[in-house]
Amino acid sequence: MAKSKTRTQEWIDWIKAIMIVCIVAFLAHTFIATSSIVEGDSMYPTLEDGERIFLNKFIYMVSTPNRGDIIIFERPEKKYVKRIIGLPNETIEMKDHKLYVNDVEQDISYVDGFETKLTGDFGPVTIPDDHYFVLGDNRAISKDSRNGLGFVSKSDIIGKTEIVMYPIPDWKRIK
């Protein structure tokens, strides 16, 4: 009889452990981190079509997005990955192949000269409170704040991309 209780208790302990692991995994996936697959070439060469990226969901619960962060945000039709170029209440302008924020020229060395020329002039545009101006690094084909996506609300941001996880030979921290 004692052996039966031990076996039953062992099963109960296993079920509890499995339930705890499932709950922790669910909470981590929902609130801390997840992965996503890059679709398209709008962030090339920084990110390539088909790469699996690690997405930090927690970071913007404790801090605010910064210029240069590569984020994933949600729209009703799909999720997008883009780079933050302008912050709330800033005035942004692209003039003569140069990016200006509040009339100060910005370093955009992450985009090569050819792509910079393809950006085209726009602005000046003032970004509303709690919104961000985003661009894809592959400016010639990117749908972004210039041409269809508009400003990105902070509430639409899912998280910050941190690492390319797959394919394994291409593993890297994202800058």
Side-chain angles (χ1 to χ4, degrees):
M1 190 77 166
K3 205 171 204 174
S4 172
K5 281 189 173 181
T6 305
R7 187 176 285 291
T8 302
Q9 187 59 45
E10 191 175 303
W11 275 102
I12 290 171
D13 290 345
W14 271 105
I15 290 170
K16 285 180 188 176
I18 291 169
M19 288 178 63
I20 289 170
V21 167
C22 288
I23 290 169
V24 169
F26 171 76
L27 292 173
H29 178 72
T30 303
F31 298 108
I32 298 173
T34 190
S35 68
S36 185
I37 297 175
V38 175
E39 294 179 14
D41 292 319
S42 71
M43 285 300 295
Y44 182 82
T46 307
L47 299 172
E48 296 184 34
D49 185 38
E51 288 182 327
R52 182 168 290 277
I53 54 177
F54 172 79
L55 180 65
N56 183 340
K57 293 176 152 185
F58 180 71
I59 194 164
Y60 296 138
M61 291 180 193
V62 296
S63 67
T64 57
N66 294 305
R67 184 178 347 281
D69 287 358
I70 298 175
I71 61 167
I72 292 186
F73 61 96
E74 200 160 26
R75 289 290 199 241
E77 68 277 5
K78 69 183 262 185
K79 295 176 184 170
Y80 293 90
V81 59
K82 303 291 177 197
R83 186 182 299 273
I84 293 177
I85 302 299
L87 305 174
N89 302 308
E90 291 183 333
T91 299
I92 188 165
E93 179 177 20
M94 190 78 175
K95 180 172 54 177
D96 299 325
H97 313 298
K98 295 179 180 153
L99 177 66
Y100 295 90
V101 176
N102 296 331
D103 295 322
V104 176
E105 186 179 344
Q106 301 296 301
D107 173 28
I108 51 174
S109 57
Y110 52 85
V111 178
D112 69 26
F114 180 70
E115 287 299 326
T116 302
K117 290 177 181 169
L118 295 175
T119 305
D121 290 349
F122 62 84
V125 177
T126 301
I127 304 163
D129 284 339
D130 294 321
H131 287 78
Y132 298 86
F133 191 95
V134 297
L135 294 175
D137 287 357
N138 189 352
R139 306 285 168 79
I141 66 165
S142 180
K143 181 178 180 182
D144 47 42
S145 290
R146 301 170 295 162
N147 57 15
L149 293 181
F151 301 115
V152 176
S153 168
K154 185 174 182 195
S155 62
D156 290 339
I157 298 173
I158 298 168
K160 177 182 177 182
T161 62
E162 298 278 355
I163 297 170
V164 172
M165 303 183 309
Y166 183 85
I168 293 171
D170 295 337
W171 188 94
K172 65 182 174 186
R173 270 192 68 66
I174 300 170
K175 299 177 192 171

